[in-house]
Amino acid sequence: MLSSRLWRQGYGVWTVAIALIGALLIAVPPVWAAPSDLPLLTPAILQDRLQSTVTRDATPTVDLRGFTIDLRPENGEFRDRFYRQLRAALQAGNTPVGLDLSQSRIQGELDLTQLALTFFSDGDTPLGFLPEPAQQQLSRDRRRVSRLSQLSRSLLIQPQAAQPSLSLFRGPLRCAQTRFEGAVEGSDIFFLALVDGRRANFDKVVNWATARFNGPVNLFEARFSGALALRNAIFFDQVRFNQGQFQAEVDFQGAEFQASANFNQATFAAGANFNRSIWQSNADFAQTVWQGAATLIKSNFQKALFLTETRLNGPMILRQARFGEPLNLRGAIVSNQLDFGDAQFSSGVYINVSGMEFSAAQSELLGSPGDIGQRLSAPVLTGNETLLRNLVFNFRRLEQVSDANQVEYTTERLRLRDLHQRLFGLNVNSAPQRRLMGAGFSSEQATAIGQARQAALLLSAADFLALDAVDLATYVKVRDRIVFGPPLGWVARLRVACGWLTLNGLLVLSHYGTSIGLALSVGLLAIAWYALLFWLIDRYRRAKPTPIVPTAAEIVTMLSSFVLIASLSGTLIWRLGDRPGLTLMAIAVVSVPVPLGIIGILYRRGRYHDLMDSSYFVEDGSLRQLRLLIARLPIIPKFPFFRDRYTPILWQRRWSWLNYYDFSINNWLKFGFNDIRLRDEQLPGLITAMVWYQWCLGILYIALLLWTLSRTIPGLNLLLYF
């Protein structure tokens, strides 16, 4: 009995609570809806409000707030009186008069053109009260209307036609939380002052095509149930459509935004047409939801375009668009097609795709082959590795191999940065307090870090920022110099160092297998360098007692050829490499110290062995043909009969210097016109060591070259990826 009584008492309490909540929900109207019991605007009330204007922001304003205004055809007498009397009040005198329809309910169509001041296009009406940009635009509109009128008269053969006119709405238009149950007509109107439609509800079509908005436009949280037409409209001041709901088609084709435009958190339930729109300031579409197709073909974004955390359930087409500043897609969700085909990017403009959700199976990113891949950018690898891998698959599916390779090159550069930071960065879990203070932390922060890592390792930036003593500003200042995670031992550090060196070499020598031109330039420079060294040790043997030196003509020819080839390859490296200095340094590190050390020892010892008057290099005299020499070694076999096939290369001919390039190509690429090798008699071991050193480097280079070819030539990449 007691439990049932308590249950009944609790049930009664919940019943009363639910009843109270329901009453409150009934009493409080929705955000976008105007109350249904608003008083009806009568001719008497209208006359009274027209005679007793109020002042809003130092502007006299006709106050029609909180009324039901019936402009339906069946109430035609009141509708005609409404337009006639209100137009007379708004256009009377030289002082602009505003109109306030806030929190009202408009039944039937509202035609703002009947409330605007008519301007004729003959140019007689002075425009001195307008700002300079508005005057220039109104003059252009006058000329446009006049020319269209003349064209229509000439085509229709009309000797006399009505004088063309333009409409001017001088005062502010306020319609905050207003419900428009009918269409709103405002095309070809020049709005001089503020247009405030916060939380307004437009049930039918809104036609503001070719309208001009000289003042701010505030349509915050406005709901457009019908189509919105702003074709060829111009906004001179700030525009706010943020948190708006566009439930039908939206047409901004040819619109021009001269100040910032804010569509933050807006929802586009149907198609949105922004073709040929011009954005002179920032365009903010952050956190917007696009259910239908969004077309921005040939749009011009002179400043930044923000699509951060945007959800694209429909296709977004940005073909032939122009971007003057970076495009931000951070955190966006792309579930359909994102098309940047033939888009034009200014120098240095990139697309930030950090944190973007992109499924290679459902989504598609399109762009100009060879260009779109270079525009994609992510600041860090952590959190973006899956995205970058999906982008690689996307471009490979589209057979845009260069873009796929470029994205993978970006990925590996980010990986190299992580390895560099792990290797040389300051680990907050093992660094002493003195080094933490040297990195930029205060003594209190260093002490707090030391106490925190004793309890648990700091494994991520989130763990680090959870410390009370560390603020975001400090983290931003030191984030490039610190690392998280367990401290590295010597073995782990050596493994990271090897990975860092290998990855660095692949990046600077071939863009991680994405630039065949860079790889070939590196090989060309190495071939020329070793040809010069082989010519030197073979032709300049000794100066005493019997000089064995090349002629002056041969010296000039060999040095000139080397300078020419080195200049050509160096120019290509400088043009194709992102870090040409590091590329040249890598070539120098592996190709200069060891050969020069061998040559230095060779000349210090001197050469006084037999066969000094014969070249160290011999050629196969049995065949003269282009050969693939991948399977042969640089020294001839010791079998005596092979000496009958190989003869020393000639010294006395003008073209003899070409033999050294031939041997260098044979030894580096295992490919050449003729088979030139080292002789097997009276051969200094240092010369053999240098030849074998180049041969080993050549093996590594062939592997790099074949890997690069398989990644850059369509068809060959199937050997690696499929």
Side-chain angles (χ1 to χ4, degrees):
M1 293 293 293
L2 181 60
S3 61
S4 62
R5 185 168 59 253
L6 290 175
W7 183 87
R8 285 196 299 272
Q9 290 178 355
Y11 179 76
V13 172
W14 280 107
T15 303
V16 173
I18 292 173
L20 289 175
I21 294 173
L24 289 174
L25 290 176
I26 295 174
V28 179
V31 174
W32 285 289
S36 59
D37 56 349
L38 293 175
L40 183 66
L41 181 65
T42 63
I45 298 177
L46 175 62
Q47 186 65 30
D48 179 67
R49 293 300 176 98
L50 293 177
Q51 292 177 356
S52 57
T53 59
V54 298
T55 302
R56 299 271 168 78
D57 297 333
T59 302
T61 304
V62 177
D63 187 4
L64 297 179
R65 294 180 300 168
F67 287 100
T68 297
I69 304 175
D70 190 356
L71 302 178
R72 291 176 293 183
E74 53 267 27
N75 197 17
E77 182 180 354
F78 172 78
R79 181 188 60 188
D80 296 339
R81 179 180 297 181
F82 174 82
Y83 283 124
R84 183 174 61 254
Q85 294 180 358
L86 187 56
R87 179 172 61 247
L90 295 178
Q91 297 180 5
N94 295 325
T95 302
V97 179
L99 175 61
D100 193 348
L101 299 172
S102 300
Q103 301 174 359
S104 294
R105 180 184 180 190
I106 313 297
Q107 297 178 330
E109 180 183 357
L110 176 63
D111 190 355
L112 295 175
T113 60
Q114 297 191 37
L115 303 177
L117 179 64
T118 300
F119 268 67
F120 294 98
S121 63
D122 55 4
D124 294 337
T125 306
L127 304 175
F129 61 91
L130 297 177
E132 184 63 27
Q135 291 186 40
Q136 296 176 1
Q137 184 59 45
L138 193 54
S139 298
R140 288 194 292 267
D141 291 341
R142 282 176 164 178
R143 291 193 298 269
R144 177 180 58 84
V145 172
S146 178
R147 290 170 182 170
L148 290 175
S149 177
Q150 294 175 7
L151 179 61
S152 63
R153 289 200 302 269
S154 63
L155 293 177
L156 297 176
I157 317 177
Q158 296 178 356
Q160 186 66 31
Q163 191 175 13
S165 61
L166 296 169
S167 300
L168 184 66
F169 203 100
R170 298 189 300 170
L173 175 61
R174 304 176 188 273
C175 50
Q177 300 184 29
T178 302
R179 185 184 188 94
F180 297 90
E181 296 182 355
V184 178
E185 177 63 37
S187 60
D188 294 317
I189 297 181
F190 205 118
F191 294 91
L192 276 182
L194 167 72
V195 176
D196 184 5
R198 290 172 293 172
R199 299 185 175 90
N201 193 345
F202 300 88
D203 291 347
K204 301 295 182 180
V205 176
V206 178
N207 184 13
W208 282 334
T210 65
R212 277 50 173 147
F213 299 89
N214 187 66
V217 177
N218 188 354
L219 289 164
F220 170 75
E221 285 190 358
R223 174 181 290 175
F224 297 88
S225 300
L228 173 61
L230 277 162
R231 179 188 294 263
N232 297 323
I234 299 179
F235 300 88
F236 293 95
D237 210 327
Q238 184 180 14
V239 184
R240 294 189 62 190
F241 284 95
N242 46 319
Q243 298 186 33
Q245 293 194 17
F246 304 91
Q247 298 179 352
E249 299 290 332
V250 177
D251 188 2
F252 281 88
Q253 181 171 342
E256 182 176 347
F257 301 85
Q258 297 190 5
S260 60
N262 189 347
F263 289 82
N264 189 288
Q265 299 181 8
T267 300
F268 297 87
N273 184 354
F274 287 88
N275 295 339
R276 295 184 176 87
S277 55
I278 300 175
W279 311 73
Q280 297 185 15
S281 188
N282 293 336
D284 187 2
F285 287 93
Q287 300 180 7
T288 52
V289 178
W290 306 76
Q291 299 292 350
T295 59
L296 297 96
I297 299 173
K298 295 185 178 180
S299 296
N300 186 354
F301 298 92
Q302 299 179 14
K303 297 294 183 179
L305 171 59
F306 293 95
L307 290 169
T308 53
E309 300 181 17
T310 296
R311 178 183 290 272
L312 300 178
N313 294 328
M316 175 171 282
I317 303 174
L318 289 150
R319 283 197 298 266
Q320 301 182 46
R322 299 179 62 183
F323 298 94
E325 289 189 2
L327 167 65
N328 198 334
L329 278 164
R330 178 177 53 82
I333 302 175
V334 180
S335 302
N336 207 296
Q337 186 182 90
L338 183 57
D339 188 357
F340 289 96
D342 298 320
Q344 300 180 25
F345 298 90
S346 298
S347 177
V349 172
Y350 59 88
I351 304 174
N352 184 4
V353 295
S354 177
M356 186 175 75
E357 293 188 21
F358 182 87
S359 173
Q362 301 176 358
S363 311
E364 192 173 47
L365 179 62
L366 304 178
S368 300
D371 181 60
I372 185 64
Q374 299 179 3
R375 303 296 176 179
L376 303 179
S377 173
V380 294
L381 184 62
T382 304
N384 293 312
E385 193 165 4
T386 301
L387 164 67
L388 295 172
R389 185 166 56 249
N390 287 337
L391 290 174
V392 171
F393 291 155
N394 169 79
F395 289 126
R396 293 201 180 278
R397 186 177 66 248
L398 298 173
E399 297 185 359
Q400 295 182 212
V401 178
S402 60
D403 295 312
N405 289 337
Q406 182 62 40
V407 173
E408 195 158 2
Y409 174 64
T410 302
T411 304
E412 297 308 321
R413 287 198 64 177
L414 296 175
R415 195 185 311 279
L416 178 67
R417 185 186 302 174
D418 286 352
L419 291 175
H420 182 274
Q421 199 161 354
R422 289 181 60 191
L423 193 60
F424 301 104
L426 186 66
N427 195 317
V428 296
N429 291 306
S430 60
Q433 185 173 352
R434 172 180 52 82
R435 293 193 61 189
L436 289 174
M437 295 175 61
F441 294 103
S442 63
S443 59
E444 294 81 5
Q445 291 172 337
T447 303
I449 293 172
Q451 294 174 354
R453 69 192 184 189
Q454 290 178 0
L457 293 179
L458 303 174
L459 301 178
S460 65
D463 297 340
F464 186 69
L465 292 173
L467 302 178
D468 295 333
V470 179
D471 55 358
L472 182 60
T474 303
Y475 172 71
V476 171
K477 183 175 64 175
V478 302
R479 62 183 176 183
D480 293 333
R481 300 192 295 271
I482 62 174
V483 292
F484 307 100
L488 293 178
W490 286 107
V491 176
R493 185 172 293 274
L494 182 60
R495 185 169 60 251
V496 172
C498 292
W500 178 78
L501 285 173
T502 303
L503 184 56
N504 223 333
L506 293 176
L507 289 173
V508 300
L509 295 177
S510 67
H511 283 184
Y512 199 74
T514 64
S515 177
I516 186 62
L518 180 61
L520 290 176
S521 301
V522 168
L524 183 63
L525 181 58
I527 289 171
W529 168 249
Y530 279 100
L532 178 66
L533 296 182
F534 292 142
W535 170 83
L536 178 65
I537 61 177
D538 193 46
R539 293 294 291 115
Y540 194 90
R541 302 197 172 201
R542 67 185 183 193
K544 298 177 182 178
T546 304
I548 304 177
V549 296
T551 62
E554 187 178 353
I555 294 175
V556 171
T557 303
M558 191 63 192
L559 292 180
S560 300
S561 64
F562 171 75
V563 170
L564 179 62
I565 296 175
S567 301
L568 176 61
S569 58
T571 302
L572 291 176
I573 291 173
W574 200 264
R575 290 186 58 186
L576 299 175
D578 288 343
R579 296 174 293 173
L582 286 179
T583 303
L584 295 175
M585 185 182 299
I587 299 173
V589 166
V590 299
S591 297
V592 172
V594 173
L596 289 187
I598 290 175
I599 291 176
I601 297 174
L602 189 65
Y603 281 111
R604 188 178 68 251
R605 290 180 179 177
R607 284 173 285 179
Y608 302 98
H609 53 78
D610 296 335
L611 299 179
M612 284 295 294
D613 294 332
S614 179
S615 174
Y616 295 122
F617 303 102
V618 293
E619 60 179 347
D620 185 359
S622 61
L623 294 174
R624 300 275 186 179
Q625 60 184 11
L626 196 64
R627 302 182 185 184
L628 183 62
L629 307 171
I630 191 68
R632 75 105 163 103
L633 298 179
I635 300 180
I636 65 173
K638 293 184 178 180
F639 191 59
F641 289 108
F642 273 91
R643 295 175 188 167
D644 297 335
R645 291 176 51 189
Y646 286 87
T647 58
I649 62 174
L650 300 177
W651 281 356
Q652 297 80 13
R653 307 298 173 87
R654 296 180 181 177
W655 46 263
S656 297
W657 55 275
L658 292 173
N659 288 319
Y660 301 100
Y661 284 102
D662 194 0
F663 176 75
S664 184
I665 293 174
N666 288 346
N667 212 34
W668 185 263
L669 291 178
K670 316 302 183 286
F671 177 82
F673 171 72
N674 197 16
D675 186 7
I676 300 181
R677 308 194 195 188
L678 282 176
R679 70 189 189 191
D680 64 335
E681 294 180 309
Q682 299 296 329
L683 181 66
L686 291 173
I687 297 178
T688 305
M690 190 168 73
V691 171
W692 277 105
Y693 182 75
Q694 191 211 17
W695 187 87
C696 294
L697 292 181
I699 290 293
L700 297 177
Y701 176 77
I702 289 174
L704 175 66
L705 186 63
L706 292 177
W707 179 58
T708 305
L709 286 171
S710 69
R711 292 167 54 84
T712 54
I713 297 179
L716 284 180
N717 60 333
L718 299 178
L719 299 175
L720 184 61
Y721 293 100
F722 298 101

